[in-house]
Amino acid sequence: MVRFAIRACALATVLVVIQASAAVADNNPQAWTETTSLPPSFTPRWDSASSAFPTLGEVILFGGGPISLGQSWWNDTWVYSDATQQWTKGPAAPAGLTPRSGAAMAYDPDIDKIVLFGGAGPSWPPYDDTWLFDGTSWTPGPAAPAALEGRTGAEMAFDPDIGKIVMFGGSGLDGYDDTWLFDGSSWTQGPAAPNGMGARVNFGMTYDPTLAAVVVAGGDGGADVWLFDGTSWSPGPTMPDGVADRERVKLVYDPQLEGDVMFGGLGPGSATTTTNILADSQWSTVTVNPRPRPQARLDAQIVWDTGADAFMVFGGETKNGAEGLSDSWILVAPPLKLSPRSGPVGTVVSVTSGPGWPEGGSVHVVFMKRLLETVTADADGNISTSVTVPGSAPGPKTFVVSNTDIRVSVSTTFTVTGSQDGPRSQPNVPGGHDGAGAGAPAVASAPAPPAHSPLRQGQTPIPATGQITVADGQFELNSQPVALRGLDVSPLGKTDIPDADYADMESWNMNVVRFFVHWSDMEPNPPVLQGTTWKHTWNMGKLNRLKNEIALAYNHGEYVLIEDYCGPPCMGNGWPDWTYDAPYNSHQITYTDPVQAATDYWTDPLRQQFTMDFLSWLAKHLADTPGILGYEALNEPAQGTYPSDSETTAMIMKVELALCQAIRESDPPRVIFFTTRGGAGAGAPNANFNGYKTLGNVAFDLHDYFGGRWGDGLNMNPASPTYGEQMSEVNDFTIDVDTPPYMGTTYGQERYMLTIINSLKNTGIPVFIGELGGRGEDEPNIITLFATMTGAANSLDISWTAMALTGRYGVLKQDGTTEPWLQTLIDAAGA
């Protein structure tokens, strides 16, 4: 096959390649075909970068991140040749091109090179370097200007109208919504994103010649589409239901279908094999060759392979992100066109398609599963007919053209603007529930894009000097906003925390410590029933030790949050053992199963009363102690065997509210901290917080162990019965021993936090992240984990404490030396 490298313009290059390679397309069946997989020497991975290299008839894949523990980041190059239809390993990366994932990559026909920018590896922050690949070797590109910060998850596309590569978005020290232009020799900043075009990562981006614009589509669960005409961004056709709410997707212009194709990705429900297309300013679905076809995946690499005249899919991960893929597929499909694309029932629609259908083959035109006509393909493989739209309710409806002999079907949509049957019904939206009982239904809404702004004036870490309160969704001292940043601490372990450790935390820019206080320390022996009253015996020695620790922290400018460690079940780990014995619970059971103990707690007035007695006693005896930020009634309350639904959340929050009210009565000025179920905010999107809003001076405690590979942390699919009630499908809880290496971003963490922030909208209740972190030395990307979590919290003005000062996840080792991620926390605390 002969290929020509014409430099006059990008369009001429593409046309010559297509014409010279037409024979290849003729040999491909008009459907999905599996081609040669990446070889066994290729290790499947996350977040690779890829691009076609048209003048060489090649497809290039570079780098990626680890799927499993024990694997590394990659900086290898792999080359697919159209001539041989084989993948081979390309040239080794030079020393400066370090292993990375999430780099942006695109082909620049004006310099006949592939351009790569950024990406992230095991270090922090992401890279801000540019590299050029000429088919033989990688060489350094121009240095990035100061304003072009390192990033991962950005996307880029070449715009032939301006002769420049356009790069948008990504995540690094923050989530980015900036535009950058590369002219082959230098980077310049492009126009600012308009209102509504928020930051994003892992989205779709391509140049569409029919629109004469660069298209940015969705990503991060979004449905918005934006067009760049070389000068400014403007809104494009929003993705409809069934197409939107997918992320870790890519987008590529497909000249055979004359539109921008998006394949696969992961959405609120599950991964998908769906192929969607933006053509004629409308989104529709293309279904081709149901079997065989690529399996459902996220993070798939897709390109338009000019050498094969085919849309190409390769790599990615399975729907749960646990297994990498190395298969390769190509799609050659005849386009389907409708004219007009919308109208009332009875509209006569011209249906044309081709080339690609077998001459003389019977092609069926189907509308909403109703066969309208059978037409014969002409000698050139085209079909042409006209059909009438039958009665149907308004909305996007699907036309399908298919041929059973070659098992091909392609589809697109027609919007019915008139109705014989009335409007479409709307999906049910889960209702809300008051923390103290049922409330008015809550309207589900997607998280708003984060406002990437610096901290409000005055909201910087300041030492503990007075009583913190909550007002207007933030922590305040004397009506001035305060940022609280610090560590979780176990003050009453085998030995007390020494003064030197509090002095160290002061030097680390930290002004808050979250104390794990064990009820079992304060009341090791069971109460005695005297008549109808339970007589408690409290350990005043432990209480005095606690007061001493509070004083040490306060003397070093650190506020103390007293946390009841921990909520049910906590058998043998925080609560006294006697609370699980039959004489001391309403169910008269001696528990051996912690799950059953947790389940029964919510219907156990006696254990709830004992919990209230402890918290009231503790708050009363600490009421005159300076330096206390507030109290947390229950740490990560466990639901036991109750279902993950809003009724369970309401039940738990009702009990928790009663405990909070008891604390308030004993120590009125302090902030009270609460949560929903567990620690990750499950149930918050459907909860009604009126009881806590009425109590006032309260904060929501969110624990961030969100792996950030996908989603909002919670399942935010409104159609799901567990909407807002369970963690998302690819959660990757960061302290599980078998969790893959962390691959989250600052922007992904912001989206998780915004899920809870938006749930508390109009309540005046701020979010406080009481725990954040990962599995410590066993996590190969622990620096990025802490950097993105704290960076997201700082960007959204959320106060936080990280896990922890000491212990398995602590910043101090047993020998007193510090862990390498401490500096990341120091930098974040002082930001």
Side-chain angles (χ1 to χ4, degrees):
M1 182 181 302
V2 179
R3 293 178 175 82
F4 303 94
I6 296 178
R7 298 291 183 268
C9 70
L11 181 59
T13 302
V14 173
L15 286 174
V16 171
V17 171
I18 290 175
Q19 291 169 354
S21 60
V24 174
D26 292 341
N27 294 329
N28 287 326
Q30 311 299 297
W32 282 114
T33 301
E34 188 169 11
T35 185
T36 309
S37 297
L38 285 144
S41 54
F42 171 84
T43 301
R45 61 206 53 189
W46 275 82
D47 285 349
S48 296
S50 62
S51 174
F53 204 134
T55 55
L56 297 180
E58 294 175 346
V59 174
I60 309 299
L61 180 149
F62 175 83
I67 291 281
S68 305
L69 292 176
Q71 296 179 345
S72 61
W73 277 255
W74 305 92
N75 63 346
D76 50 353
T77 302
W78 294 85
V79 179
Y80 179 83
S81 169
D82 294 324
T84 65
Q85 297 188 6
Q86 298 289 325
W87 285 97
T88 58
K89 194 169 185 178
L97 183 49
T98 52
R100 65 191 67 194
S101 64
M105 198 161 97
Y107 172 70
D108 186 333
D110 288 349
I111 59 174
D112 194 27
K113 293 178 181 179
I114 284 175
V115 180
L116 179 147
F117 181 84
S123 61
W124 184 258
Y127 305 114
D128 64 352
D129 50 353
T130 304
W131 291 85
L132 307 175
F133 182 66
D134 62 4
T136 302
S137 62
W138 289 97
T139 55
L148 177 50
E149 296 179 308
R151 60 195 65 200
T152 182
E155 296 292 340
M156 58 169 61
F158 182 78
D159 185 340
D161 300 326
I162 60 174
K164 297 176 182 179
I165 280 179
V166 181
M167 182 170 71
F168 182 81
S171 177
L173 298 175
D174 199 352
Y176 300 116
D177 60 358
D178 50 353
T179 305
W180 289 86
L181 307 175
F182 181 70
D183 63 3
S185 59
S186 63
W187 289 98
T188 56
Q189 190 156 11
N195 292 335
M197 188 183 185
R200 65 196 67 207
V201 295
N202 303 315
F203 53 96
M205 185 170 180
T206 190
Y207 175 78
D208 186 329
T210 66
L211 298 172
V214 170
V215 181
V216 161
D220 311 300
D224 55 337
V225 177
W226 295 85
L227 307 178
F228 181 67
D229 62 4
T231 302
S232 62
W233 292 97
S234 60
T238 299
M239 291 183 281
D241 293 343
V243 179
D245 300 330
R246 280 190 283 156
E247 58 186 87
R248 289 197 175 272
V249 294
K250 295 187 183 296
L251 192 71
V252 66
Y253 180 75
D254 184 332
Q256 67 176 335
L257 296 176
E258 298 182 344
D260 308 312
V261 175
M262 177 183 292
F263 171 82
L266 196 61
S270 62
T272 179
T273 59
T274 301
T275 305
N276 295 108
I277 183 170
L278 172 61
D280 298 329
S281 297
Q282 289 196 17
W283 284 94
S284 56
T285 301
V286 180
T287 56
V288 181
N289 200 31
R291 298 288 186 273
R293 65 181 179 187
Q295 71 183 90
R297 68 191 67 201
L298 59 152
D299 195 34
Q301 302 300 308
I302 64 172
V303 298
W304 172 256
D305 183 3
T306 55
D309 285 357
F311 174 79
M312 186 174 182
V313 173
F314 50 97
E317 303 85 40
T318 54
K319 67 177 183 178
N320 61 2
E323 180 184 352
L325 301 170
S326 57
D327 53 345
S328 300
W329 295 77
I330 59 172
L331 169 63
V332 181
L336 174 61
K337 293 184 178 182
L338 305 179
S339 181
R341 291 289 297 271
S342 64
V345 169
T347 298
V348 177
V349 178
S350 170
V351 180
T352 57
S353 183
W357 303 96
E359 180 184 358
S362 295
V363 179
H364 312 294
V365 181
V366 177
F367 180 67
M368 296 301 295
K369 299 183 179 180
R370 176 178 174 182
L371 177 64
L372 300 184
E373 186 174 345
T374 299
V375 61
T376 301
D378 64 21
D380 295 323
N382 299 294
I383 63 168
S384 179
T385 189
S386 296
V387 295
T388 301
V389 176
S392 175
K397 304 298 179 181
T398 303
F399 266 100
V400 177
V401 177
S402 63
N403 180 286
T404 55
D405 295 333
I406 58 171
R407 304 183 68 194
V408 173
S409 66
V410 295
S411 64
T412 189
T413 57
F414 179 90
T415 301
V416 181
T417 58
S419 173
Q420 295 178 348
D421 306 318
R424 290 185 297 168
S425 61
Q426 297 299 316
N428 291 328
V429 177
H433 295 270
D434 194 333
V443 178
S445 61
H452 300 287
S453 59
L455 293 174
R456 290 186 287 265
Q457 184 178 1
Q459 188 162 353
T460 55
I462 62 173
T465 56
Q467 183 58 50
I468 298 289
T469 57
V470 167
D472 299 325
Q474 61 188 5
F475 295 100
E476 292 187 349
L477 176 64
N478 300 324
S479 300
Q480 294 298 313
V482 174
L484 301 168
R485 298 165 184 168
L487 293 171
D488 293 319
V489 175
S490 297
L492 303 180
K494 294 180 179 179
T495 60
D496 295 346
I497 303 297
D499 182 77
D501 284 353
Y502 294 106
D504 283 341
M505 285 186 279
E506 181 180 23
S507 71
W508 298 339
N509 306 314
M510 296 177 180
N511 65 347
V512 64
V513 286
R514 180 170 173 263
F515 273 8
F516 294 160
V517 176
H518 294 195
W519 177 6
S520 57
D521 285 337
M522 300 300 173
E523 192 179 16
N525 299 314
V528 177
L529 183 61
Q530 297 180 345
T532 58
T533 304
W534 289 94
K535 174 70 174 179
H536 296 272
T537 302
W538 306 105
N539 188 333
M540 300 305 294
K542 286 282 189 180
L543 178 65
N544 290 332
R545 284 177 58 190
L546 177 62
K547 288 182 176 180
N548 181 65
E549 292 290 312
I550 294 171
L552 292 178
Y554 186 56
N555 289 340
H556 288 287
E558 290 139 21
Y559 292 98
V560 174
L561 167 57
I562 302 294
E563 180 233 357
D564 175 15
Y565 185 87
C566 57
C570 279
M571 185 175 289
N573 187 27
W575 284 13
D577 291 341
W578 57 261
T579 61
Y580 301 99
D581 293 341
Y584 307 104
N585 65 78
S586 301
H587 296 284
Q588 296 295 293
I589 297 173
T590 295
Y591 291 100
T592 57
D593 179 4
V595 176
Q596 186 61 46
T599 304
D600 290 351
Y601 178 82
W602 308 110
T603 57
D604 190 331
L606 185 56
R607 276 199 293 165
Q608 293 171 17
Q609 181 61 54
F610 288 155
T611 311
M612 188 177 298
D613 292 344
F614 161 62
L615 293 171
S616 298
W617 171 83
L618 184 64
K620 180 179 179 181
H621 283 78
L622 294 178
D624 296 328
T625 303
I628 295 178
L629 168 65
Y631 304 89
E632 185 173 348
L634 292 177
N635 175 67
E636 300 186 359
Q639 67 200 62
T641 58
Y642 283 103
S644 296
D645 59 25
S646 55
E647 285 76 15
T648 298
T649 302
M651 175 187 66
I652 290 174
M653 291 178 66
K654 181 178 181 179
V655 174
E656 193 176 5
L657 180 60
L659 300 177
C660 293
Q661 290 168 334
I663 295 172
R664 175 59 48 78
E665 291 175 3
S666 297
D667 192 356
R670 316 292 194 182
V671 180
I672 308 296
F673 293 76
F674 74 99
T675 189
T676 45
R677 291 184 285 108
N686 302 321
N688 187 307
F689 297 101
N690 286 343
Y692 293 89
K693 180 179 179 181
T694 300
L695 181 62
N697 201 28
V698 297
F700 187 99
D701 184 23
L702 175 68
H703 296 175
D704 187 358
Y705 299 105
F706 172 45
R709 290 189 172 216
W710 173 82
D712 303 296
L714 301 181
N715 171 14
M716 295 304 291
N717 178 12
S720 170
T722 59
Y723 167 84
E725 302 291 341
Q726 287 185 338
M727 298 305 292
S728 58
E729 185 174 1
V730 184
N731 180 41
D732 292 334
F733 193 68
T734 60
I735 57 176
D736 282 353
V737 294
D738 58 349
T739 295
Y742 179 77
M743 296 291 288
T745 65
T746 302
Y747 185 62
Q749 292 294 333
E750 289 175 353
R751 290 176 56 220
Y752 172 42
M753 298 173 193
L754 278 166
T755 300
I756 309 303
I757 290 175
N758 287 347
S759 300
L760 294 161
K761 204 163 28 180
N762 302 321
T763 66
I765 300 173
V767 171
F768 177 87
I769 300 181
E771 297 177 22
L772 61 83
R775 62 189 144 206
E777 293 178 348
D778 295 331
E779 168 57 66
N781 209 9
I782 192 68
I783 304 298
T784 296
L785 181 149
F786 277 111
T788 55
M789 289 179 175
T790 56
N794 287 356
S795 175
L796 297 174
D797 299 339
I798 299 176
S799 294
W800 51 265
T801 53
M803 280 284 281
L805 176 64
T806 56
R808 181 180 178 187
Y809 311 115
V811 299
L812 295 181
K813 300 179 183 179
Q814 286 188 341
D815 62 4
T817 59
T818 60
E819 297 284 8
W821 57 87
L822 172 60
Q823 188 58 53
T824 303
L825 293 173
I826 293 173
D827 294 342

